[in-house]
Amino acid sequence: MKFCQFGPRGAEKPGLVDADGRIRDLSGHVDAITVAALPALRAVDPAALPLVEGSPRYGVPVSGVGKIVAIGLNYRDHAIESNLPIPTEPMMFMKAVTSLSGPNDPVMLPDGATHGDWEVELGVVIGKTCRYVAEADALDHVAGYVLANDVSERFNQKERGTQWSKGKGHDTFCPVGPWLVTPDEIGDPQDLDMALDVNGQRMQTGNTRTMIFPVAELIAYVSRFVTLLPGDIMITGTPPGVGEGKKPDKIFLKPGDVMELSIAKLGSQRQDVIAFDLDALR
């Protein structure tokens, strides 16, 4: 099933996306899409739900996200284009929950940004507490999957000390959605086509099968260092084609650019890149 949250920022309603791609209103059943609510919602008949008219804004498709754990350099070609060693263990960093935004909301470059970049990624929504989980059992702990854009400010990420989170956690830097898709609709998470365009030009083309560390291994690995709780999101790395890796000249985001990205079965996103405006964040 596909679940979403729709409506104005801060006033989103819970929804279900039916087989025809139409949003059905779940407000009569729950106040928000949470991991705890999902088992009961799977029994709801979509045809019995009110149809949502028009084209409302999509918000982040799940509420109650406690943390975002990100994996870096999880595609061999991306590590090579970044001039970094191929990881022998998953590289972890944290992305601020305040970076979350809807899939089609504007992405605001931070004050003084010079090296804004894009990263289409498969996101995993944790469904059960993960603490020293065995790899063989890891996918049983997944509530669903989401499309994510791990937007980055490379100068802040790499030139201001050793903490990647400085360039990853800016407001609007983690668009997620449009849907949370349950595992039964995804099937094998290691066989999903990925793509990202900037201003209509293809930048990234990939497939999750080329991950260095697949989803099950990542969950098992991360759970040895960080307890993953229901509602947490893990984003799993990006294929080659980021702006920093373009040759002969690097390409970085500027106001007026448009990012469009998709992953098979998980929908698509479109973000306008805008200049820094502190008042707009309040």
Side-chain angles (χ1 to χ4, degrees), residues 157-181:
Q157 176 189 353
K158 296 185 176 181
E159 304 300 329
R160 308 192 75 166
T162 60
Q163 298 301 312
W164 279 18
S165 297
K166 289 180 182 178
K168 298 282 194 171
H170 295 286
D171 293 326
T172 77
F173 267 31
C174 194
V176 171
W179 317 310
L180 181 156
V181 185

Side-chain angles (χ1 to χ4, degrees), residues 10 61 195 206 218 269:
L218 290 176
Q269 301 183 355

Side-chain angles (χ1 to χ4, degrees), residues 157-225:
Q157 176 189 353
K158 296 185 176 181
E159 304 300 329
R160 308 192 75 166
T162 60
Q163 298 301 312
W164 279 18
S165 297
K166 289 180 182 178
K168 298 282 194 171
H170 295 286
D171 293 326
T172 77
F173 267 31
C174 194
V176 171
W179 317 310
L180 181 156
V181 185
T182 53
D184 56 297
E185 285 212 17
I186 294 299
D188 183 3
Q190 304 306 148
D191 189 21
L192 301 174
D193 289 330
M194 315 167 73
L196 184 145
D197 297 349
V198 177
N199 301 330
Q201 180 179 353
R202 179 58 48 89
M203 297 294 180
Q204 291 184 278
T205 301
N207 187 288
T208 55
R209 75 170 67 93
T210 64
M211 286 182 183
I212 299 171
F213 308 104
V215 171
E217 184 176 355
L218 290 176
I219 293 172
Y221 182 90
V222 171
S223 75
R224 299 182 62 82
F225 303 94

Side-chain angles (χ1 to χ4, degrees), residues 81-99:
E81 73 176 353
S82 301
N83 295 316
L84 293 170
I86 306 298
T88 57
E89 293 190 33
M91 295 181 60
M92 296 167 48
F93 61 94
M94 307 298 284
K95 201 167 172 82
V97 173
T98 47
S99 68

Side-chain angles (χ1 to χ4, degrees), residues 1 5 21 37 46-47 50 59 86 92 121 123 129 145 166 168 180 206 212 219 232-233 243 252 258-259 275 280:
M1 301 181 79
Q5 300 194 108
I86 306 298
M92 296 167 48
E121 304 208 6
T129 298
Y145 298 91
K166 289 180 182 178
K168 298 282 194 171
L180 181 156
I212 299 171
I219 293 172
D232 288 348
I233 296 176
F252 295 115
V258 176
M259 293 181 284

Side-chain angles (χ1 to χ4, degrees), residues 24 30 41 60-61 65 68 93 112 129 191 210 216 246 258:
R24 300 281 183 161
V30 290
L41 293 178
V60 177
V65 180
I68 305 165
F93 61 94
T129 298
D191 189 21
T210 64
K246 293 298 182 184
V258 176

